[in-house]
């Protein structure tokens, strides 16, 4: 959970300006027109820009595991992470990545408005890449902690 949250930009940024002099609580104070229940900017990013709207029921079904496995394989192929960028144990590096994307998170977003198609396309690419980076880093940490043989049980 912490690995995933630390790769979601709204978990490590806040907008401070005249409207939000103490910050916007990581995009939570920026309301948007609700789409599938995502009614603020933070919720949109938590949903992987509207891709993952429904909460996953527990216990997870075989189909849910398969769906997530397919998404993972797709993101790994689409967004390979160079070994030099793993930064497995350096959350400060992950925060720097989020900070680099902070402007994009807020760019063109209007309070109570809908997100533009251009915003959704650009943000989706960023969100998918962050999910891939977080997953890769978590997998590497699991391999480090339990060895690659046991870790492979989690990665199949």
């Amino acid at each position: 959970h912490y690995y995933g949250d630390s790769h979601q930009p709204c978990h490590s940024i806040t907008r401070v300006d005249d409207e939000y002099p103490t910050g916007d609580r990581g995009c939570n104070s920026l309301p948007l027109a609700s789409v599938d229940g995502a009614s603020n900017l933070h919720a949109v990013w938590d949903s992987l820009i509207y891709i993952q709207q429904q909460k996953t029921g527990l216990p997870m079904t075989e189909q849910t595991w398969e769906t997530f496995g397919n998404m993972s394989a797709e993101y790994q192929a689409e967004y390979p992470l160079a070994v030099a960028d793993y930064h497995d144990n350096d959350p400060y590096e992950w925060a720097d990545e989020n900070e680099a994307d902070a402007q994009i998170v807020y760019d063109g977003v209007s309070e109570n408005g809908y997100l533009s198609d251009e915003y959704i396309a650009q943000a989706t690419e960023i969100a998918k890449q962050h999910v891939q980076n977080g997953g890769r880093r978590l997998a590497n940490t699991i391999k480090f902690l339990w060895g690659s043989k046991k870790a492979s049980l989690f990665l199949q």
Side-chain angles (χ1 to χ4, degrees), residues 63-112:
Q63 183 169 350
T64 304
W65 278 109
E66 184 177 337
T67 298
F68 286 141
N70 291 339
M71 285 174 67
S72 176
E74 175 189 327
Y75 296 174
Q76 286 179 52
E78 200 169 342
Y79 307 100
L81 185 62
V83 174
D85 294 326
Y86 277 4
H87 309 297
D88 290 343
N89 300 311
D90 193 349
Y92 294 106
E93 287 285 343
W94 310 342
D96 287 346
E97 291 169 3
N98 287 333
E99 186 178 346
D101 292 328
Q103 182 60 40
I104 294 162
V105 170
Y106 293 106
D107 191 34
V109 176
S110 299
E111 191 168 308
N112 295 311

Side-chain angles (χ1 to χ4, degrees), residues 23-151:
D24 72 352
R25 302 175 321 124
C27 309
N28 277 293
S29 296
L30 186 55
L32 297 173
S34 183
V35 175
D36 293 330
S39 59
N40 66 52
L41 191 56
H42 187 106
V44 169
W45 280 84
D46 270 353
S47 73
L48 197 56
I49 320 301
Y50 304 123
I51 292 174
Q52 186 64 39
Q53 286 300 319
Q54 306 302 320
K55 290 195 181 264
T56 303
L58 296 176
M60 288 176 45
T61 65
E62 275 188 51
Q63 183 169 350
T64 304
W65 278 109
E66 184 177 337
T67 298
F68 286 141
N70 291 339
M71 285 174 67
S72 176
E74 175 189 327
Y75 296 174
Q76 286 179 52
E78 200 169 342
Y79 307 100
L81 185 62
V83 174
D85 294 326
Y86 277 4
H87 309 297
D88 290 343
N89 300 311
D90 193 349
Y92 294 106
E93 287 285 343
W94 310 342
D96 287 346
E97 291 169 3
N98 287 333
E99 186 178 346
D101 292 328
Q103 182 60 40
I104 294 162
V105 170
Y106 293 106
D107 191 34
V109 176
S110 299
E111 191 168 308
N112 295 311
Y114 288 96
L115 299 173
S116 70
D117 291 342
E118 294 81 17
Y119 179 95
I120 291 170
Q122 184 178 25
T124 298
E125 293 300 308
I126 292 166
K128 286 179 176 181
Q129 186 167 15
H130 281 252
V131 166
Q132 159 58 12
N133 291 355
R136 173 69 63 195
R137 290 168 178 155
L138 176 58
N140 288 338
T141 299
I142 290 170
K143 286 179 183 179
F144 173 77
L145 293 173
W146 288 292
S148 60
K149 202 172 219 180
K150 290 182 181 177

